[in-house]
Amino acid sequence: MIGYLSLCPLGKTHKWVPHLFPPLSRYLFSSLFLLLLKSPSVNFAVILLIQLLRVMGSCWSDGGGGMVGVGGTTSSAAGCYASPNDAVDYYLKSRGFNGLFSQIELSFSASDLRDRDVISKSDAVVVVYTKGRDGALAELFRSEVVLNSLNPKWIKKLTLSYQFEAVQTLLFRVYDIDTQFQNSREEMLNLDEQQFLGEAKCALSEVITKSNRTIALELMRKEGAAAAQTRPQSHGKLIIHAEESLASKTTTEIVLRCLNLESKDNFSKSDPFLVISKMVEHGAPVPVSKTEVLKNDPNPIWKPVFLSVQQVGSKDTPLVIECLDFNGNGNHSLIGKVQKSLADLEKLHVSGQGINLFLPTGVGHKHEDKALKSQIFVDKFTETVQHTFLEYLASGFELNFMVAIDFTASNGNPRLPDSLHYIDPTGRLNAYQRAIVEVGEVLQFYDSDKRFPAWGFGARPIDIPVSHCFNLNGSSTYCEVDGIQGIMNAYNGALFNVSFAGPTLFGPVINAAATIASESLAQNARRYYVLLIITDGVITDLQETRDALVSASDLPLSILIVGVGGADYKEMEVLDGDKGERLESSSGRVASRDIVQFVALRDIQYGEVSVVEALLAELPSQFLAYMKNRNITPTTSTSSAC
């Protein structure tokens, strides 16, 4: 149990390593741990362990080096930007906070529907379902009924949240409503009593990546309907048009500060941070943003928080702003909170006045809110309309997928079941296959030709020395394969046509991807490249990799790294700029932006967050950062920014 407790000052779950603790903390830990071992009472041992965790959390919260590791700062000045807080990130993700999303409005029309009525034409309604990975359907929307038309145009629109990191499969069914039910409300109709006209399905990504955001789908018979094995017969077309709501483009910048915060620590002042959550109709508030942690500061001024209306629902949606005292053990203490909407916060800013935090006391019917002397102020509130990820897609930008696979000997013999490259005859995907399929399934919609560069590294292909960047398809002249299945086929073929070797070097494959991105930029192409590196081990060319990443940070390129197996990936986390520190090359040059996202498969494979969500959640932000750095707008070409 002790070996995997979240005791690391980096705020993550690591094996216990003595050198990570300050000297005094190590002494306290050793002494108290001996007491645990000698304790005759299990309950006493548990209580003592809890107190130990609290002590250790307070030590790290107060220690200068520890706070830097988790994103704290020694200054409360708004201009002093601290790095993101890993422990707080985990705290948020464990409560449902994932990637950002955009509000999409779908409108529907149809053409050449089947005429199922004898005297008049069909009276059509369209019903929309979401389709889960397990195939289960959940009804999402029903339109109004359009009477007596084979080419209906429905007025009612469907508004839903687009999430880049997920494949959102939608199923559309069109029904002819029987005359006797035409005065019934649409939501009360029993669809089993209506005449089925046809169905179609697509991913939401397929609609929003069209240049005009319009897609025409052939309506077919229901899936699984008993029918002869003949060519599917079309029953008309369903036309779907997508529009991004204006709310998705409006971003609010807010600077918050507090005054006279109460101390929650025994020997020092609190280390406060804010969590902003939106209220939902059912269930607990959903976190949508957070600030950095500020060390020992009763009067903190946090760096700006950016909120979009689409994140919070609307400008009038109630928001809960909680002020918490950071503790390294993850047990953050509530200092106080307020509940205000964006509209309320704007009024506070205009008035220049603060509002008192409150602390809930009691439970059930005896629940009361205790007003505190602590106050929160809104020092800045500005709204701007910014270009969105979807606007760039609509103007012709694409995401081009690339993959590089680790074939070093540490993966094990692929013919044996304990190998990370073992191909299971039952069809169960290994870790490499799973990463390829899950990431590729999302990104393929953003690549028009679906020809993906694919490389291997750390092995000896036939008749050549060990290579750290060879074409996965076996060709000596080109590296591209056709589609996700093409990657899978090339991967399966390479497994038994190369000799696993080593060491693990990333520099060559990153440079190969950077070369393609650089050539594309020189040709004024509207492309942004995404390289997926899947590896089982620690890299041995860390400085060369740093140099390659710093150089590539000026290019239209992001790099996703998936760690498989049980290796120690601390060096990988250094490459990921989530801690706020930009990479620096051997020549002293600093990366212009963060382009790396790293995920260890073992950390998320049993959790609620999928590999895809963990890897891709930051990609739209990295894409937009590149466009902003080069002053590229959706309506301009890249040549104007070079």
Side-chain angles (χ1 to χ4, degrees):
M1 176 180 174
I2 285 291
Y4 286 89
L5 287 172
S6 183
L7 298 176
C8 176
L10 294 179
K12 291 188 174 181
T13 300
H14 292 287
K15 291 183 179 180
W16 177 68
V17 182
H19 74 265
L20 293 177
F21 299 93
L24 177 59
S25 300
R26 290 203 301 269
Y27 173 77
L28 287 172
F29 185 89
S30 301
S31 302
L32 291 173
F33 190 56
L34 286 174
L35 287 175
L36 284 177
L37 295 176
K38 295 180 179 180
S39 171
S41 166
V42 174
N43 290 336
F44 174 77
V46 171
I47 293 170
L48 190 56
L49 178 59
I50 292 172
Q51 294 303 319
L52 168 62
L53 291 176
R54 288 176 177 169
V55 170
M56 300 303 288
S58 297
C59 290
W60 294 324
S61 181
D62 294 340
M67 278 307 298
V68 172
V70 296
T73 177
T74 56
S75 170
S76 63
C80 184
Y81 287 172
S83 58
N85 190 317
D86 290 343
V88 180
D89 284 342
Y90 178 81
Y91 170 79
L92 291 175
K93 286 186 177 180
S94 68
R95 287 157 175 77
F97 174 63
N98 292 309
L100 304 183
F101 52 85
S102 295
Q103 290 292 106
I104 301 295
E105 189 177 75
L106 298 182
S107 55
F108 306 94
S109 61
S111 62
D112 301 324
L113 293 179
R114 286 191 298 167
D115 191 358
R116 300 294 297 270
D117 293 345
V118 177
I119 301 176
S120 62
K121 296 180 174 63
S122 292
D123 307 314
V125 63
V126 60
V127 184
V128 184
Y129 304 83
T130 57
K131 191 170 186 178
R133 281 184 171 271
D134 59 356
L137 298 179
E139 185 174 331
L140 195 63
F141 168 84
R142 290 190 188 190
S143 71
E144 78 279 14
V145 178
V146 175
L147 300 176
N148 197 29
S149 176
L150 300 182
N151 301 289
K153 293 183 179 179
W154 290 278
I155 296 174
K156 191 175 177 182
K157 294 175 173 55
L158 165 62
T159 300
L160 73 166
S161 298
Y162 157 74
Q163 290 178 281
F164 168 77
E165 64 269 23
V167 177
Q168 297 169 275
T169 303
L170 301 176
L171 178 69
F172 310 91
R173 287 178 176 166
V174 181
Y175 293 88
D176 177 18
I177 305 304
D178 194 275
T179 304
Q180 62 178 313
F181 300 110
Q182 287 178 3
N183 292 325
S184 303
R185 293 168 57 185
E186 289 83 6
E187 61 269 22
M188 302 300 295
L189 293 171
N190 184 347
L191 297 178
D192 292 334
E193 298 176 342
Q194 316 306 321
Q195 291 182 308
F196 176 75
L197 297 181
E199 74 174 15
K201 68 176 180 178
C202 72
L204 181 59
S205 305
E206 293 181 80
V207 185
I208 57 92
T209 51
K210 300 292 183 184
S211 59
N212 57 359
R213 291 184 182 164
T214 301
I215 191 171
L217 304 174
E218 297 283 347
L219 290 169
M220 302 294 180
R221 296 188 63 173
K222 276 188 181 180
E223 287 185 350
Q229 297 297 318
T230 58
R231 184 177 179 180
Q233 182 181 357
S234 174
H235 301 305
K237 290 185 178 181
L238 179 68
I239 297 95
I240 305 162
H241 179 71
E243 286 290 341
E244 187 176 12
S245 69
L246 181 62
S248 297
K249 306 175 184 180
T250 304
T251 298
T252 304
E253 181 182 352
I254 306 172
V255 173
L256 297 167
R257 68 178 169 95
C258 281
L259 195 63
N260 300 322
L261 291 180
E262 295 182 4
S263 176
K264 294 291 183 178
D265 293 337
N266 294 327
F267 304 108
S268 65
K269 300 180 179 66
S270 292
D271 307 321
F273 68 97
L274 299 178
V275 174
I276 302 175
S277 306
K278 69 175 179 180
M279 299 294 292
V280 293
E281 188 173 351
H282 302 289
V286 178
V288 294
S289 186
K290 65 177 175 63
T291 67
E292 75 280 19
V293 176
L294 297 180
K295 178 188 173 184
N296 293 334
D297 198 337
N299 303 301
I301 304 174
W302 289 278
K303 72 178 183 179
V305 170
F306 295 89
L307 291 173
S308 59
V309 175
Q310 48 94 0
Q311 275 180 276
V312 301
S314 76
K315 199 168 180 178
D316 296 316
T317 300
L319 301 175
V320 177
I321 304 176
E322 296 176 295
C323 184
L324 299 163
D325 176 29
F326 176 80
N327 284 307
N329 60 14
N331 186 23
H332 311 303
S333 303
L334 178 64
I335 299 174
K337 64 180 181 178
V338 294
Q339 181 172 312
K340 293 291 177 184
S341 66
L342 282 178
D344 294 331
L345 295 176
E346 185 176 26
K347 291 176 183 177
L348 279 177
H349 171 64
V350 172
S351 70
Q353 298 178 343
I355 185 171
N356 292 83
L357 300 177
F358 68 84
L359 195 62
T361 59
V363 293
H365 297 295
K366 297 183 179 180
H367 172 81
E368 294 181 358
D369 291 333
K370 175 186 175 183
L372 305 176
K373 294 181 180 179
S374 308
Q375 287 189 310
I376 189 168
F377 295 81
V378 182
D379 284 356
K380 183 177 182 179
F381 189 101
T382 58
E383 293 179 316
T384 56
V385 177
Q386 298 182 347
H387 294 300
T388 66
F389 178 65
L390 295 183
E391 284 184 289
Y392 284 96
L393 295 181
S395 68
F397 282 90
E398 293 190 359
L399 300 180
N400 294 93
F401 182 43
M402 308 161 148
V403 65
I405 299 173
D406 183 343
F407 288 95
T408 53
S410 55
N411 284 280
N413 187 338
R415 293 177 172 81
L416 300 179
D418 61 350
S419 170
L420 293 169
H421 281 300
Y422 179 67
I423 304 298
D424 194 324
T426 66
R428 185 174 181 271
L429 300 181
N430 65 35
Y432 284 89
Q433 292 172 314
R434 178 183 165 194
I436 293 168
V437 170
E438 292 193 10
V439 175
E441 278 182 346
V442 172
L443 294 179
Q444 65 178 340
F445 295 113
Y446 304 90
D447 192 326
S448 59
D449 66 4
K450 294 179 173 53
R451 289 187 57 81
F452 307 132
W455 300 288
F457 61 92
R460 184 181 296 105
I462 298 175
D463 298 331
I464 65 173
V466 173
S467 173
H468 299 289
C469 184
F470 57 88
N471 295 334
L472 200 62
N473 57 18
S475 170
S476 60
T477 57
Y478 65 95
C479 61
E480 292 182 330
V481 297
D482 292 318
I484 304 303
Q485 191 57 50
I487 298 176
M488 296 291 278
N489 293 341
Y491 166 69
N492 292 343
L495 281 177
F496 303 102
N497 288 293
V498 301
S499 299
F500 288 17
T504 304
L505 307 181
F506 280 6
V509 292
I510 293 174
N511 288 331
T515 297
I516 294 176
S518 179
E519 291 173 352
S520 174
L521 182 62
Q523 295 169 6
N524 201 27
R526 294 188 165 220
R527 293 176 181 168
Y528 189 92
Y529 292 86
V530 182
L531 170 63
L532 171 65
I533 301 176
I534 316 171
T535 182
D536 85 311
V538 179
I539 56 175
T540 55
D541 64 337
L542 182 59
Q543 189 56 59
E544 291 81 357
T545 298
R546 284 174 178 261
D547 292 345
L549 291 173
V550 170
S551 178
S553 66
D554 291 330
L555 298 172
L557 175 66
S558 284
I559 297 172
L560 313 174
I561 305 174
V562 175
V564 299
D568 184 344
Y569 290 115
K570 287 187 177 64
E571 289 183 351
M572 299 293 190
E573 294 170 2
V574 172
L575 302 179
D576 190 336
D578 281 352
K579 293 182 175 62
E581 295 181 7
R582 297 275 178 87
L583 288 176
E584 186 174 332
S585 70
S586 54
S587 64
R589 182 187 171 197
V590 178
S592 60
R593 61 192 179 94
D594 173 28
I595 65 170
V596 177
Q597 180 70 7
F598 169 74
V599 167
L601 190 61
R602 63 170 181 247
D603 292 342
I604 58 175
Q605 60 185 342
Y606 302 113
E608 296 179 359
V609 181
S610 73
V611 180
V612 174
E613 289 174 339
L615 273 177
L616 298 182
E618 290 187 17
L619 189 54
S621 298
Q622 292 180 359
F623 174 93
L624 291 172
Y626 171 79
M627 298 300 166
K628 184 177 180 180
N629 285 356
R630 285 187 164 262
N631 296 317
I632 301 172
T633 64
T635 55
T636 63
S637 65
T638 54
S639 60
S640 64
C642 296

